Amino acid sequence: MGLWSRFKNTTLYKSIYRNEYPDTPRNQVLVILNSVVLHLHPVKVPRRAVRMSYTWGLGGLSLLMFLILTVTGVWLMFYYVPSVPGAYESMKALETDVIFGPFARNLHRWAAHGMVLAVWLHMTRVFYTGSYKPPREFNWVIGVVLFTITVLLSFTGYLLPWDQLAYWAIQVGSNMARVTPVVGSYVQRALLDGYEIGPSTLVRWYTLHVILLPLACIALMAVHFWRIRKDGGISTPIPYEEEEDESLPASDAEVAD
């Protein structure tokens, strides 16, 4: 018996992988159902639903941009100082003193632009193909909220360097919030932590950018992926009912949305 075969018979391996290699339809189903990650996907998807010419992989690209933003954002947090005297100086230090600092910051910035563009194009594709119609209308609403959070993530990150652009962007953004009917003045004071821009304003926007908005985005993305499965998988081109025999296991899909 080889070393790999002996390892597959250990308790450690069997506790992680409870099923055999997905070489049969039954094992393919069991592998997906018993995986904490794969169970978010449907067991089978129509072949036409995963064609690049239909989905363009825009949902996956949006997720990829978010993962890049998470990794680079955590790295930037090691050097960024969320205070009025330290914010701008820490951004200057990233550009001049930190190894690969400009690369990490620019990668984070361009990934943010890419995520906004990818999510917008993804929603355009969903609307154009009628994928928002029943039974997927609830998931469309979740997608709209996710797009709003994406824009807010980009906007709050734009303010963190605390330069002149950031200062006046906060001024404009808070004034826009102030004209909201009924609750506008309360929202503005909550964003500014008072009636004017100050040191605590930066802390509030920083907290929104690195904690509240990312957590909300992660939670809603999990619900978004789960609803895709519950609604019958990725919406398919019409007609697809005549091609039920062309369905393939999700593990064999060449391109995922």
Side-chain angles (χ1 to χ4, degrees), residues 19-32 249 251-252:
N19 304 104
E20 296 294 333
Y21 184 80
D23 53 353
T24 65
R26 182 177 184 276
N27 284 336
Q28 291 169 349
V29 172
L30 291 176
V31 166
I32 292 177
S251 59
D252 294 339

Side-chain angles (χ1 to χ4, degrees), residues 17 52 67 79 90 103 115 157 185 190 202 224:
Y17 301 100
M52 180 61 71
L67 294 177
Y79 301 98
S90 62
F103 172 77
M115 183 176 177
S185 59
L202 174 60
H224 190 64

Side-chain angles (χ1 to χ4, degrees), residues 127-195:
F127 181 82
Y128 177 74
T129 57
S131 302
Y132 61 91
K133 297 179 181 179
R136 299 180 175 88
E137 64 270 29
F138 176 71
N139 217 14
W140 168 258
V141 174
I142 294 178
V144 173
V145 177
L146 280 171
F147 177 69
T148 304
I149 293 177
T150 301
V151 174
L152 290 176
L153 279 169
S154 181
F155 183 67
T156 53
Y158 180 75
L159 310 177
L160 297 185
W162 205 251
D163 50 10
Q164 284 294 309
L165 288 175
Y167 179 88
W168 292 110
I170 292 178
Q171 190 72 54
V172 173
S174 61
N175 287 336
M176 291 173 62
R178 182 172 58 85
V179 299
T180 303
V182 182
V183 297
S185 59
Y186 301 101
V187 173
Q188 184 188 37
R189 288 202 297 270
L191 293 175
L192 299 181
D193 191 25
Y195 293 93

Side-chain angles (χ1 to χ4, degrees), residues 60-213:
L61 284 175
S62 301
L63 177 61
L64 176 62
M65 293 297 105
F66 181 79
L67 294 177
I68 294 175
L69 285 168
T70 301
V71 173
T72 56
V74 170
W75 192 85
L76 291 173
M77 286 172 64
F78 284 108
Y79 301 98
Y80 179 76
V81 180
S83 64
V84 170
Y88 184 70
E89 294 300 323
S90 62
M91 298 307 295
K92 287 173 57 179
L94 272 170
E95 296 289 339
T96 57
D97 301 336
V98 179
I99 298 177
F100 294 114
F103 172 77
R105 186 187 176 193
N106 287 325
L107 181 60
H108 189 77
R109 180 166 62 93
W110 283 108
H113 297 332
M115 183 176 177
V116 173
L117 180 61
V119 174
W120 181 78
L121 290 175
H122 178 55
M123 295 186 66
T124 302
R125 196 279 302 173
V126 170
F127 181 82
Y128 177 74
T129 57
S131 302
Y132 61 91
K133 297 179 181 179
R136 299 180 175 88
E137 64 270 29
F138 176 71
N139 217 14
W140 168 258
V141 174
I142 294 178
V144 173
V145 177
L146 280 171
F147 177 69
T148 304
I149 293 177
T150 301
V151 174
L152 290 176
L153 279 169
S154 181
F155 183 67
T156 53
Y158 180 75
L159 310 177
L160 297 185
W162 205 251
D163 50 10
Q164 284 294 309
L165 288 175
Y167 179 88
W168 292 110
I170 292 178
Q171 190 72 54
V172 173
S174 61
N175 287 336
M176 291 173 62
R178 182 172 58 85
V179 299
T180 303
V182 182
V183 297
S185 59
Y186 301 101
V187 173
Q188 184 188 37
R189 288 202 297 270
L191 293 175
L192 299 181
D193 191 25
Y195 293 93
E196 59 183 16
I197 301 173
S200 56
T201 304
L202 174 60
V203 177
R204 293 213 169 188
W205 288 91
Y206 177 71
T207 304
L208 285 172
H209 185 71
V210 303
I211 298 178
L212 183 60
L213 293 176

